[in-house]
DNA sequence: GTTCATTACGGATTCCGTAAGGATG
DNA sequence: CATCCTTACGGAATCCGTAATGAAC
């Protein structure tokens, strides 16, 4: 058994059981991977993948377990490399973030700028994706840190830390009837055509809940993944916008009016996700604390040793932005 | 980085940083290990071991962390092999027990006999050692299952399951004054010269506690690691013996008299220790349940997912023997 | 002077890429 | 017939063991 073989079976599983595709992604030859796979299966005395003829069709039960452990091994190999890098030079390395459009666009720029100033020799990579993708990549160790709001909690090896809480505002064009309203209610909002986030993004599910609790059926005429698109269509008069407060820029968006909506919706919580058991380099701790000052190294370390059922206590932070 | 290299650094650490010795134990050449070590250190850009000239003198800070992770990796490689073996044939494999003299001598024989009857194709290995050695070997994955009483709980990745509770008896020669005593007290016992277990074995510490609580200073004239030695010296008239009840064989030890002592000492608990995160083959579950019927597969699996601070609830079992 | 790790070197093995073969949908 | 995995084969790199070298206690 070699690390190479474990990497190959894990990658094959990640690429839909397509060995050719896997080989291309790993910049190696397809027969090379096939050979190593055959060697491993022979050594273990079990098939990891089920075949129909010469096609890999599915993963065997044993294969599923083996690949899961292989994933752990690969993550620990990464840990070893990170430990060594940290010992060699604390200020050199790479930090890979997984995040969504809205975090990357509104919340992270000042953090990233401060981080780059502090660690000019750390290579920063940002993987943008949907909240589900971001969470999965963090759970698999593809990214070091996940930052997102709508994160499903079904990844048992993903530790979620509270980053900051935020709420929404309502964007309208000047002269819109809602601007005359002294006290806006959810009924008022539901009466207008709405432009907001798609499901699974930026606390959309929490927004839906508010309407449901009041037995209202809002008319969402356009759902987008990011606030820039939403603002564009509000400007076109398609409807009123409901976006994260931080997405409203008083200067750049001065042609729109942002109405207060804290009383209409529950606050959403953006979280920082880390893979359980990962070695965290000092600059990663620093990055996290640049994001959220309350997440000190000690708090994060403690959270990583707790189990899922032992949720961390946190104090909400200032309001910023959303997915 | 290769698995070979990780195994080598781990083994070097296990063998007192003596590469020659390590090579001999692994049936390979010393320069081969040196070479792989040099390659790994070069790849990682950090030294794992500190040298004075050409001698390895100690482990670096980074090396300590790296070796710890390497140990995890090696354990997971074992897990993969076990998963594959289990898938290939549930009844073939090896079970390595780590236990002490007294368990091996008095508690385990019927369990082992039943297990061998049920799984004739499983190779059974028993590593005998001191309680501390046994616990360490289980924590390191050298043995699959540890069975011992005096187990220090400082191995964070060792899960302890309650096996059975037991207490002591007092062994005397016929005609000894204590045999006339209708109700033996701790003071009576402390007045006699005592032959019992050495510290660290078979609940010796719990025995000492009982005397201390009564402010008594027993005169231990001989301390041995096993009951057979103790009985030998009781027969020679060196003193009275205090041994685990199961160590008294009414037939083989008919020349000695066992006096009831349950009221003098607190019961001791013999435990089954498993490395956290290890893959447990079905016959290992069966072995554990042969030991202790209350340790069903479900109970064991649940215990393995709990943390140290969440102790398992258990109901004491019948009394048998001791370390 | 003994123990111990590194360097040097040669043989065997392994690994990987190109090319051809055979099965699937 | 296009896709995909396996087998075949040759060159390159790696690994490992013996022998020699040099440092430490």
């Amino acid at each position: 058994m070699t690390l190479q073989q474990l990497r190959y079976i894990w990658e094959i599983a990640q690429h839909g059981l397509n060995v050719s595709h896997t080989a291309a992604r790993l910049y190696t030859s397809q027969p090379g991977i096939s050979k190593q796979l055959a060697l491993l299966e022979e050594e273990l005395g079990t098939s990891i993948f089920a075949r129909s003829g010469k096609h890999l069709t599915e993963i065997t039960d044993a294969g599923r377990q083996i690949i899961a452990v292989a994933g752990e091994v690969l993550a620990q190999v990464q840990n070893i490399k990170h430990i060594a890098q940290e010992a060699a030079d604390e200020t050199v390395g790479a930090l890979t973030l997984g995040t969504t459009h809205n975090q990357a666009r509104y919340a992270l720029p000042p953090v990233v700028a401060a981080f780059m100033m502090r660690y000019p020799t750390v290579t920063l990579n940002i993987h943008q994706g949907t909240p589900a993708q971001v969470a999965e990549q963090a759970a698999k160790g593809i990214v070091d840190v996940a930052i997102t709001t709508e994160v499903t909690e079904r990844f048992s090896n993903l530790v979620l830390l509270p980053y900051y809480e935020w709420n929404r505002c309502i964007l309208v064009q000047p002269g819109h009837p809602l601007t005359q309203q002294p006290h806006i209610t959810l009924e008022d909002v539901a009466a207008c055509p709405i432009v907001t986030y798609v499901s699974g993004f930026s606390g959309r599910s929490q927004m839906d809940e508010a309407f449901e609790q009041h037995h209202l059926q809002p008319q969402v005429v356009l759902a987008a993944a990011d606030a820039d698109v939403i603002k564009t269509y509000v400007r076109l008069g398609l409807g009123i916008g409901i976006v994260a407060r931080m997405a409203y820029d008083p200067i750049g968006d001065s042609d729109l009016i942002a109405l207060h909506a804290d009383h209409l919706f529950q606050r959403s919580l953006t979280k920082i996700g880390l893979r359980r058991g990962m070695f965290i380099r000092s600059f990663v701790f620093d990055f996290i604390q640049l994001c959220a000052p309350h997440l000190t190294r000690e708090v994060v370390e403690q959270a990583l040793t707790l189990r899922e059922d032992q949720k961390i206590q946190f104090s909400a932070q200032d309001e910023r932005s959303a997915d």
Side-chain angles (χ1 to χ4, degrees), chain A:
Chain A
M1 193 185 313
T2 66
L3 287 176
Q4 184 87 301
Q5 289 166 350
L6 297 184
R7 172 168 299 284
Y8 283 169
I9 61 170
W10 194 81
E11 293 284 350
I12 291 172
Q14 297 305 309
H15 291 96
L17 276 50
N18 184 325
V19 177
S20 306
H21 185 198
T22 306
R25 287 296 195 90
L26 298 182
Y27 305 105
T28 185
S29 72
Q30 177 271 317
I33 295 187
S34 265
K35 188 73 190 300
Q36 293 303 320
L37 170 58
L39 282 173
L40 179 60
E41 288 186 326
E42 187 194 11
E43 176 182 349
L44 293 179
T46 321
S47 50
I48 295 169
F49 300 104
R51 291 144 169 95
S52 92
K54 292 193 171 182
H55 288 233
L56 305 192
T57 53
E58 57 181 344
I59 309 178
T60 64
D61 284 343
R64 209 177 317 281
Q65 298 176 67
I66 290 171
I67 289 166
V69 178
E72 291 295 316
V73 169
L74 296 175
Q76 278 162 337
V77 167
Q78 268 308 313
N79 281 355
I80 288 177
K81 290 180 180 171
H82 286 163
I83 291 167
Q85 279 182 26
E86 182 79 5
D89 188 342
E90 292 190 357
T91 66
V92 172
L95 171 57
T96 304
L97 304 178
T99 189
T100 54
H101 169 88
N102 287 279
Q103 300 304 328
R105 174 82 172 73
Y106 301 110
L108 293 180
V111 178
V112 167
F115 182 80
M116 288 177 67
M117 176 99 74
R118 188 140 153 201
Y119 292 101
T121 48
V122 171
T123 307
L124 195 63
N125 305 306
I126 301 186
H127 286 208
Q128 189 180 325
T130 67
Q133 287 173 336
V134 165
E136 186 181 350
Q137 289 181 340
K140 286 182 176 168
I142 297 171
V143 301
D144 300 318
V145 180
I147 302 173
T148 177
T149 302
E150 290 256 353
V151 55
T152 53
E153 311 214 343
R154 65 200 159 77
F155 295 101
S156 61
N157 61 344
L158 196 62
V159 179
L160 297 177
L161 305 167
Y163 179 7
Y164 66 92
E165 288 190 303
W166 53 272
N167 212 324
R168 296 141 190 83
C169 66
I170 298 173
L171 296 181
V172 296
Q173 288 181 301
H176 189 279
L178 281 182
T179 60
Q180 312 302 326
Q181 210 97 7
H183 184 79
I184 299 175
T185 66
L186 218 51
E187 281 76 10
D188 298 332
V189 175
C192 306
I194 292 172
V195 183
T196 190
Y197 300 108
V198 291
S199 177
F201 277 79
S202 301
R204 165 68 190 265
S205 54
Q206 266 169 296
M207 193 195 88
D208 288 345
E209 268 175 32
F211 285 111
E212 261 181 37
Q213 280 174 6
H214 286 73
H215 305 288
L216 295 171
Q217 291 192 336
Q219 186 199 352
V220 176
V221 293
L222 191 146
D226 64 82
D228 290 322
V229 172
I230 295 170
K231 285 187 275 191
T232 301
Y233 284 92
V234 171
R235 289 192 174 95
L236 289 178
L238 208 63
I240 65 173
I242 303 180
V243 298
R245 170 102 59 80
M246 275 298 287
Y248 176 74
D249 174 10
I251 297 163
D253 300 329
S254 56
D255 56 333
L256 294 176
I257 293 168
L259 303 175
H260 204 257
D262 284 5
H263 57 294
L264 300 179
F265 306 104
Q266 283 214 319
R267 285 182 296 186
S268 286
L269 175 63
T270 298
K271 300 158 205 106
I272 293 176
L274 301 170
R275 187 188 213 273
R276 196 184 303 279
M278 82 178 264
F279 174 78
I280 301 180
R281 297 198 52 181
S282 55
F283 61 68
V284 179
F285 278 119
D286 278 355
F287 178 85
I288 292 170
Q289 199 166 2
L290 278 176
C291 287
H294 66 283
L295 294 178
T296 62
R297 187 186 184 113
E298 289 70 31
V299 168
V300 174
E301 278 176 345
Q302 196 196 335
L304 284 169
T305 62
L306 296 176
R307 302 293 286 191
E308 299 144 47
D309 46 314
Q310 303 168 309
K311 292 288 173 188
I312 191 168
Q313 296 291 329
F314 71 93
S315 54
Q317 214 203 352
D318 60 309
E319 188 168 306
R320 290 193 200 164
S321 135
D323 279 323

